Amino acid sequence: MGLTSKVVLAVAIASAVALFAATVWFWPRLARRSAAAMTGRVGLLLATQLTLFAAVGLAANNAFLFYGSWADLFGQEQELGVVTDHRDGATGSRHMTRIGTQKPDVPGGGVPSAGGRIDKVMVSGRQSGIESPAYVYLPPEYFQRAYADRTFPAVVVLTGYPGTAENLFKGLRYPRTAHERVKAGKAQPMILVMLRPTVAPPRDTECVDIPKGPQTETFFAKDLPEAVSQTYRVGKQARNWGIIGNSTGGYCALKIGLHHPDRYAASAGLSAYYKAAEDPTTGDLFHGNQALRDRANLMWTLENRPPSGGSFLVTTSRKGEGNLKSTMKFIDKVKAPAQVSSIVLESGGHNFTTWRREIPPALEWLSGRLSAQ
């Protein structure tokens, strides 16, 4: 049974309740001062606490999807199979391989023309040399005859760090939300390319090109759009592409959009920060190169190298987020011809609940700034 299985959670809760009841029932019998009685008391208390901790931990993980599987929890790499499949009119690309499909959590999800489809793919970066798994949500219109000759706008969707790509459709419900926005007439059909920014696990590369290390910025700015455009019906112009993410993914989205307006016309950072983190998870990102460190600071970039274009969306809250002041500063520094928009909640923490409130308007915002042609 999977880590996020409701059965696993139910068993953990039932075990905690049963052990608590057993502790209450047997405690009078174990009140003696013998070694056996003392051992029994310690054992019951320890077992009860462990099962209670496991139940709470599983419940929290099911709510926020910190880990998507047992292997993810224990830091084990998951070896991926390689099966090339180029059906449904996709031209195919040697830089992207489809390794599986699944139905999205939307009405009619079992039929692609009614609910769309999620492809699990492996992206091989031509220039960066990075290989990363991703999930591609194809909206139902992609499979309908009326759209057979149409291209679609694409949005790259990034998790935070460490995160798992599954968070994006299980916890944050991006495909479901996009589907609902289209049905409500508030957004156009868009392809969602969902993955985590940690493309060189377990290292947090902060989406920068590290000297003699992972070329993560190149992967997201060049390799990923190229591979997707060669495999699916997606345009190759900046107006066809957007990028969005939360937390670390939000920083990455803004950074990639700021430095590559020729690739991404619209960038959205949910609860983003504005300069690259440098800590034990990142290692030495810049190798003493101050120019690279400055470039990874979005405020410095806006002050010294104003963007030639592009649209930016940033989000924060007056209570609960730590990025309110820096977000207001970012807004002030964006100058024409670039454009900036914001979502400022009255209250909301750095968590999935807050991001679920921001994702629907953010997808509408992206839709209004991207073109299918």
Side-chain angles (χ1 to χ4, degrees), residues 158 197 206-207 220 243 247-257 272-273:
L158 302 175
E206 295 290 294
C207 293
F220 283 113
I243 184 168
S247 192
T248 299
Y251 163 75
C252 286
L254 296 175
K255 178 184 183 297
I256 297 298
Y273 49 89

Side-chain angles (χ1 to χ4, degrees), residues 9 13 54-64:
L9 177 60
I13 294 173
V56 171
L58 286 168
N61 189 66
N62 280 15
F64 297 105

Side-chain angles (χ1 to χ4, degrees), residues 141-368:
E141 290 80 4
Y142 191 88
F143 303 95
Q144 296 171 4
R145 287 187 178 181
Y147 292 82
D149 297 322
R150 294 276 301 275
T151 58
F152 291 78
V155 176
V156 174
V157 187
L158 302 175
T159 67
Y161 176 83
T164 64
E166 288 84 355
N167 287 348
L168 297 169
F169 56 87
K170 291 183 179 179
L172 292 177
R173 306 168 188 162
Y174 269 95
R176 180 176 175 180
T177 304
H179 185 271
E180 291 171 349
R181 296 296 91 190
V182 173
K183 291 300 180 183
K186 296 183 177 181
Q188 62 177 316
M190 299 182 293
I191 291 175
L192 305 180
V193 185
M194 301 173 285
L195 68 168
R196 59 181 185 170
T198 315
V199 293
R203 189 177 188 181
D204 175 13
T205 62
E206 295 290 294
C207 293
V208 304
D209 282 349
I210 301 173
K212 299 181 180 179
Q215 303 296 288
T216 313
E217 181 174 338
T218 296
F219 176 81
F220 283 113
K222 298 179 181 179
D223 291 338
L224 183 60
E226 179 184 76
V228 173
S229 296
Q230 290 178 355
T231 306
Y232 299 100
R233 300 199 308 274
V234 177
K236 298 180 180 181
Q237 304 301 314
R239 63 178 181 271
N240 309 129
W241 283 87
I243 184 168
I244 184 174
N246 59 271
S247 192
T248 299
Y251 163 75
C252 286
L254 296 175
K255 178 184 183 297
I256 297 298
L258 186 60
H259 290 306
H260 301 276
D262 58 328
R263 170 49 62 195
Y264 293 97
S267 312
L270 312 184
S271 302
Y273 49 89
Y274 300 95
K275 67 176 182 179
E278 294 183 73
D279 56 37
T281 67
T282 67
D284 187 356
L285 294 176
F286 307 110
H287 293 259
N289 189 322
Q290 188 59 41
L292 294 179
R293 180 176 284 105
D294 289 340
R295 188 176 183 277
N297 185 326
L298 306 190
M299 303 298 185
W300 184 94
T301 299
L302 288 173
E303 291 173 352
N304 295 275
R305 299 176 184 175
S308 58
S311 296
F312 303 93
L313 173 67
V314 289
T315 77
T316 186
S317 62
R318 302 189 190 281
K319 295 181 181 179
E321 284 281 17
N323 73 335
L324 178 60
K325 290 184 178 180
S326 57
T327 297
M328 295 299 106
K329 185 178 179 181
F330 180 88
I331 292 171
D332 289 340
K333 289 184 180 296
V334 175
K335 306 299 180 184
Q339 299 178 334
V340 63
S341 305
S342 67
I343 297 173
V344 181
L345 302 177
E346 286 301 316
S347 177
H350 198 81
N351 55 51
F352 278 31
T353 301
T354 297
W355 299 327
R356 289 190 197 110
R357 296 162 61 194
E358 297 168 341
I359 289 170
L363 288 177
E364 292 177 22
W365 179 88
L366 284 163
S367 173

Side-chain angles (χ1 to χ4, degrees), residues 18-27 30 37-51:
L19 281 168
F20 176 78
T23 300
V24 174
W25 178 262
F26 287 109
W27 197 260
L30 299 173
M38 185 176 295
T39 301
R41 292 197 299 272
V42 171
L44 279 174
L45 288 173
L46 181 61
T48 301
Q49 291 183 25
L50 286 175
T51 53

Side-chain angles (χ1 to χ4, degrees), residues 36-165:
M38 185 176 295
T39 301
R41 292 197 299 272
V42 171
L44 279 174
L45 288 173
L46 181 61
T48 301
Q49 291 183 25
L50 286 175
T51 53
L52 180 61
F53 177 80
V56 171
L58 286 168
N61 189 66
N62 280 15
F64 297 105
L65 286 175
F66 298 116
Y67 300 96
S69 65
W70 294 109
D72 185 35
L73 175 64
F74 293 111
Q76 300 172 345
E77 291 293 332
Q78 298 183 46
E79 186 176 353
L80 300 171
V82 178
V83 178
T84 303
D85 190 338
H86 301 302
R87 290 176 295 175
D88 304 310
T91 59
S93 166
R94 61 192 178 93
H95 303 302
M96 177 177 285
T97 303
R98 192 171 79 187
I99 56 179
T101 63
Q102 61 189 85
K103 61 181 182 180
D105 179 24
V106 302
V111 180
S113 61
R117 189 182 74 198
I118 296 177
D119 287 353
K120 186 173 184 179
V121 301
M122 177 62 74
V123 182
S124 300
R126 181 175 64 86
Q127 297 185 52
S128 66
I130 290 174
E131 289 193 350
S132 177
Y135 291 89
V136 179
Y137 166 67
L138 303 170
E141 290 80 4
Y142 191 88
F143 303 95
Q144 296 171 4
R145 287 187 178 181
Y147 292 82
D149 297 322
R150 294 276 301 275
T151 58
F152 291 78
V155 176
V156 174
V157 187
L158 302 175
T159 67
Y161 176 83
T164 64

